[in-house]
Amino acid sequence: VDGGPKAAGPIVSKFATELAIKKARGNGIALAAARGQAMILSMYARMAVDAGMVGIVMNQSFPTVAPFGGAGPLLGNGTFAYGVPAGRHDPIIFDASLTQSSASGMFLAALQRQKVPPGLLLDEHGMPTIDAIDFPSKSDYRDPDRGPDAGGSLTALGDSHKGYGLVLMVCLFS
């Protein structure tokens, strides 16, 4: 499913999820790839659970993560969600990004001119910073495929090549 770079992500994601559920009913398993950003993914995992299926959802966001040891955002923050039915119990639904902090948390901290704990952000030169203002504001993202011209980035989960490898995997798969 290709909604184009500026497509309404939730509409495209809902359509792709419904298509995957339909195909999985007939084949036992299905994969749908969609182009269009959707920030919160748990609702799509929940759609699969409500259909009696396991759902795994991944999303490539605008660039917010620098390569491990690099400077400047190159990849999205590797958001993913999964849902697993649990019979008569509540299902298991998990939704997270593979970065130390979410982009929305950094946007809010920057807006409020707050410092953030060490290890969450890099400045535009790839150096650790506690200044949330070093992370671009949402208004800096004029083109969702391009991201800001310059700015800081989030650190991958674990702040290591392992966390960055997971971010890269989600971005490649999605």
Side-chain angles (χ1 to χ4, degrees):
V1 178
D2 187 354
K6 296 185 180 180
I11 295 169
V12 173
S13 297
K14 183 177 183 287
F15 177 81
T17 304
E18 289 170 344
L19 180 62
I21 289 168
K22 178 181 175 185
K23 296 288 185 180
R25 276 200 173 92
N27 299 305
I29 189 170
L31 172 84
R35 186 173 180 203
Q37 293 179 13
M39 304 308 277
I40 299 172
L41 302 179
S42 55
M43 67 183 78
Y44 309 109
R46 182 64 191 236
M47 288 171 63
V49 166
D50 289 347
M53 301 175 185
V54 171
I56 300 172
V57 186
M58 298 179 205
N59 183 51
Q60 166 67 306
S61 69
F62 48 81
T64 56
V65 180
F68 183 68
L74 178 66
L75 297 177
N77 60 347
T79 55
F80 75 102
Y82 63 82
V84 180
R88 60 183 174 84
H89 302 285
D90 289 337
I92 298 168
I93 305 286
F94 182 80
D95 190 338
S97 66
L98 294 174
T99 50
Q100 296 284 12
S101 175
S102 68
S104 58
M106 292 302 108
F107 292 140
L108 182 59
L111 184 65
Q112 296 174 351
R113 306 251 183 235
Q114 294 178 336
K115 303 288 185 198
V116 298
L120 302 182
L121 286 176
L122 303 175
D123 67 16
E124 64 185 50
H125 305 291
M127 301 303 296
T129 182
I130 60 169
D131 259 328
I133 199 73
D134 287 334
F135 190 66
S137 70
K138 281 187 177 180
S139 64
D140 288 335
Y141 291 96
R142 291 174 286 284
D143 181 341
D145 281 342
R146 196 184 88 201
D149 293 328
S153 40
L154 300 170
T155 56
L157 196 62
D159 193 24
S160 72
H161 69 285
K162 293 176 184 180
Y164 185 74
L166 291 171
V167 171
L168 179 60
M169 183 264 316
V170 168
C171 291
L172 291 172
F173 283 10
S174 60

